[in-house]
Amino acid sequence: MSAVTSELLETVAELWPGADVVPAGTAGDGRPVRARYALLSRGDDPTVLVPVESATAAGASLRRFSTASSWWETTSRVAAGAAVRALPGLLRQRVEIRGGHDGLAVHLSEVLGTPVSFSLSIGTARVNRKPVLQVFDEEGRCRAFAKVGWSENTCADVTAEGRALATVTALEYQHVVPPPLLARTSWAGRPVLVIGPLQPSPWRRHRRAWTPPEEAMTELASSFASPDGRLTDSAWWQRQWEATGALVDPVLRGRFGRAMERVDGIVGRRALSWGAWHGDWTPWNMAVSGDAVLLWDWERFETGVPMGLDPLHYVVNSFNSGVPASTEGVLRALCFASYRDRSLGGEPHVTSLLYLVAILTRYLRLVDVPGGEHISPRAMQTLVALERLTQV
């Protein structure tokens, strides 16, 4: 059994406090069976537990798409979902949750006003890995997704996303579609965020996956616009300095601080436009629907930031998806993303500098938290990219 599979089974057991996970068919021991699951692995994707009482729910658990899904992945998931729905016996590797107390399913049933079950995934090993549940009613229809805080860091993420969606969904948009916020609740001392499902078409494609949907990004940013002002006068810049000063490693703190001083010298007195950014707008966090963009994972949303950060983040991540982190990869992506801005002559592109500061503030803070080894290489390569740009 792989480490990921073992962690997945340990996680699902904790959703029924005191329960155990046993192979299906294990001799009965008098304890009630709380749930039955099939264990699936979708190629290189995270291992998933799907409920087997409803073939409809089991099939729907496999039909999850984003702009990053290739045609092959999309076709495979559609076919697998249809096969499982028609022939649930295909799900052979099964486990049962036995014993324990009423679990998260009971709590979610109360929140949604109907009995529910859920599938479970925990994603790949990374600093912000947490359980994500796809929640189904008794007819197997997807009613919601739920995220559960599982560590100090992910508890903060779940709380932040709930706060962000409360802010974002208070406005109406033409091109941006965030998930409906259904509930911000808690269970067993853990924050739980319950959001409505977005329903992307498996066949609708973003024309060029590496080109950001700038119309939607501009709409989001400008919906929270504030008056133009200088970088050095902004609360955002002050927050970046505070985050830099809080870094544990004195070497990283010194290197990042010196780079920020150089950014201040280049940008500090310029008048900048201010708005909002999603903070993690990537092809795998969105799907297109007509002229609109369905957009999820809002835990990094922030207002009062320099305009134009989301397109750069999108391009940097698109260009470097599936390859080892490298300074050259970051710089090439930023050059591609900012090629239209020639207003500064030989100076670095202002928004690129500010984007690198924003993302490094996030990455470097995570280096020293549990799981930080997964973000450390990217943080270091990004820091070198900022140092090179500020030495031009």
Side-chain angles (χ1 to χ4, degrees):
M1 181 183 297
S2 71
V4 173
T5 300
S6 177
E7 185 171 353
L8 183 69
L9 296 179
E10 292 172 1
T11 299
V12 75
E14 290 191 42
L15 299 181
W16 284 268
D20 293 314
V21 181
V22 301
T26 301
D29 54 11
R31 295 183 297 170
V33 175
R34 300 287 184 176
R36 294 180 173 89
Y37 285 99
L39 183 61
L40 296 181
S41 181
R42 299 187 301 220
D44 294 330
D45 287 349
T47 304
V48 181
L49 286 171
V50 302
V52 296
E53 275 83 0
S54 167
T56 301
S61 298
L62 304 179
R63 293 171 54 91
R64 292 169 67 175
F65 314 98
S66 72
T67 294
S69 302
S70 67
W71 279 105
W72 173 249
E73 290 170 331
T74 297
T75 302
S76 298
R77 292 178 187 182
V78 169
V84 165
R85 182 170 179 175
L87 298 169
L90 292 173
L91 302 175
R92 298 184 182 278
Q93 189 177 0
R94 300 189 178 197
V95 296
E96 295 178 350
I97 314 300
R98 291 188 184 175
H101 306 288
D102 287 345
L104 181 56
V106 172
H107 179 70
L108 292 175
S109 297
E110 294 171 351
V111 169
L112 295 172
T114 186
V116 300
S117 60
F118 52 78
S119 65
L120 173 70
S121 63
I122 57 171
T124 54
R126 52 184 178 169
V127 68
N128 61 341
R129 180 161 67 175
K130 56 187 171 292
V132 178
L133 284 55
Q134 188 174 7
V135 185
F136 303 95
D137 63 20
E138 290 182 300
E139 284 71 47
R141 296 173 297 191
C142 180
R143 295 291 299 268
F145 284 87
K147 297 184 179 182
V148 185
W150 215 248
S151 63
E152 181 179 354
N153 189 61
T154 58
C155 284
D157 284 349
V158 170
T159 301
E161 184 168 9
R163 187 167 54 245
L165 285 173
T167 299
V168 170
T169 56
L171 302 181
E172 294 185 359
Y173 311 92
Q174 183 178 354
H175 301 291
V176 179
V177 182
L181 176 59
L182 302 182
R184 299 159 67 186
T185 181
S186 63
W187 172 81
R190 305 179 185 274
V192 178
L193 175 66
V194 186
I195 58 177
L198 299 175
Q199 303 290 348
S201 166
W203 311 117
R204 176 74 177 178
R205 318 298 294 178
H206 186 45
R207 189 167 58 90
R208 290 183 297 180
W210 60 87
T211 303
E214 293 193 18
E215 194 169 28
M217 290 178 171
T218 299
E219 179 182 47
L220 177 66
S222 60
S223 294
F224 297 89
S226 55
D228 290 359
R230 298 191 307 181
L231 178 69
T232 51
D233 296 333
S234 69
W236 180 80
W237 192 236
Q238 180 62 36
R239 292 197 300 273
Q240 310 318 298
W241 274 114
E242 291 171 357
T244 303
L247 294 176
V248 174
D249 188 318
V251 175
L252 288 179
R253 187 168 64 245
R255 288 177 61 183
F256 191 25
R258 287 189 293 274
M260 286 185 61
E261 288 174 353
R262 293 193 289 270
V263 172
D264 195 307
I266 297 169
V267 185
R269 296 185 178 278
R270 296 180 184 275
L272 302 176
S273 298
W274 300 86
W277 74 319
H278 173 274
D280 197 17
W281 198 323
T282 59
W284 44 91
N285 282 338
M286 60 165 271
V288 295
S289 178
D291 294 330
V293 176
L294 312 181
L295 187 59
W296 48 88
D297 284 0
W298 288 81
E299 61 265 32
R300 305 301 182 192
F301 174 77
E302 189 179 3
T303 60
V305 305
M307 289 278 198
L309 301 186
D310 271 327
L312 299 185
H313 186 72
Y314 184 101
V315 172
V316 168
N317 281 271
S318 297
F319 269 52
N320 293 282
S321 175
V323 300
S326 74
T327 296
E328 290 71 22
V330 172
L331 292 175
R332 281 196 300 268
L334 289 175
C335 183
F336 175 85
S338 59
Y339 74 97
R340 285 172 295 183
D341 191 320
R342 293 290 182 266
S343 60
L344 300 181
E347 291 185 353
H349 181 238
V350 164
T351 312
S352 294
L353 296 177
L354 300 179
Y355 165 71
L356 289 174
V357 169
I359 205 67
L360 275 167
T361 301
R362 180 188 309 172
Y363 289 168
L364 293 176
R365 179 185 64 82
L366 296 175
V367 166
D368 292 310
V369 307
E373 67 275 8
H374 299 295
I375 197 68
S376 182
R378 177 170 292 188
M380 296 308 300
Q381 299 295 346
T382 306
L383 177 57
V384 174
L386 177 62
E387 289 172 334
R388 288 190 187 177
L389 280 185
T390 54
Q391 291 169 357
V392 173

